[in-house]
Amino acid sequence: LLSGDLLDSTGKAINPRAEMWLSMQDDNFWTYFSNVTSDTSAGQIYITPAEASGFPAPMRYDNTTVPQDAVDYFIERWNNTQLYWAQGYRTINDVPVGMSTNFIPHTQYLTLYNQLLADATAVRGSANSTDPVSFDNRLRAFGQSAKSEAENENAGTCVKVKIKLAQELTLTRTAFIGSLQLQND
């Protein structure tokens, strides 16, 4: 949602614009975002230019920041999404020719939102009631673990795969009459 499609146009590699957000975990960024998109902010749901200039650089797990051009792209995407939805543009095909298609299509948003709710429920449901680790900390730990595994190419077994092949076997019998003669010369 922050940067467009997760995969590039080939569908085989992560979109570089999305990749920089995958390891981002910054409570200050999200708190600021929540404040500037609240009903009491200057632009209400929209992010004004003044609010955009105050965005903190989003920190990633490796203590680097998401580049400013990616933040600007996200802000444009957010504002376009709010504007387009208000105007009834729900899909890319609804957007008039010549207008930016940098927005979140409504069906994509709902699909991802519902998946997030299901995943969050599954993670919370699997927690031990005496477990002191919060849901956010679990997400952070998962992100750090995934990043570490991705960076370490020689980490050993990456994935265990169990394959079950359903097979049908048919035996046939061909009958014939034969004889074998041996000669000792």
Side-chain angles (χ1 to χ4, degrees):
L1 294 177
L2 295 168
S3 60
D5 294 333
L6 178 60
L7 299 178
D8 66 7
S9 60
T10 68
K12 297 178 182 177
I14 293 179
N15 172 356
R17 188 176 291 279
E19 186 173 20
M20 67 185 73
W21 289 98
L22 291 176
S23 62
M24 194 276 280
Q25 178 57 42
D26 188 336
D27 293 338
N28 293 331
F29 178 85
W30 292 119
T31 299
Y32 187 83
F33 173 77
S34 180
N35 290 336
V36 299
T37 57
S38 72
D39 290 341
T40 59
S41 72
Q44 296 182 339
I45 195 72
Y46 300 98
I47 300 170
T48 67
E51 292 168 334
S53 68
F55 259 92
M59 292 300 296
R60 298 167 46 154
Y61 289 119
D62 62 1
N63 291 323
T64 62
T65 58
V66 173
Q68 186 60 45
D69 68 321
V71 175
D72 295 342
Y73 185 87
F74 162 67
I75 292 170
E76 176 190 355
R77 187 171 178 80
W78 176 263
N79 283 339
N80 285 348
T81 298
Q82 304 312 313
L83 177 66
Y84 289 7
W85 287 6
Q87 293 176 347
Y89 306 149
R90 300 285 195 240
T91 68
I92 288 179
N93 294 335
D94 296 336
V95 178
V97 174
M99 290 179 67
S100 172
T101 57
N102 179 20
F103 83 112
I104 306 165
H106 195 257
T107 53
Q108 178 188 16
Y109 174 82
L110 285 178
T111 300
L112 294 172
Y113 179 74
N114 288 330
Q115 183 64 52
L116 174 66
L117 289 178
D119 292 347
T121 300
V123 169
R124 285 186 179 122
S126 68
N128 183 330
S129 60
T130 61
D131 186 357
V133 178
S134 73
F135 177 68
D136 287 341
N137 287 341
R138 285 174 184 226
L139 286 177
R140 272 190 205 96
F142 174 76
Q144 289 169 335
S145 171
K147 182 178 181 296
S148 295
E149 288 179 24
E151 288 176 345
N152 187 357
E153 294 178 10
N154 299 320
T157 304
C158 293
V159 177
K160 291 182 181 179
V161 178
K162 183 177 182 179
I163 298 176
K164 180 179 180 182
L165 299 174
Q167 298 182 11
E168 290 184 20
L169 179 63
T170 304
L171 294 175
T172 61
R173 189 175 126 206
T174 303
F176 63 94
I177 298 176
S179 63
L180 175 63
Q181 293 179 0
L182 298 175
Q183 256 182 356
N184 188 3
D185 291 327

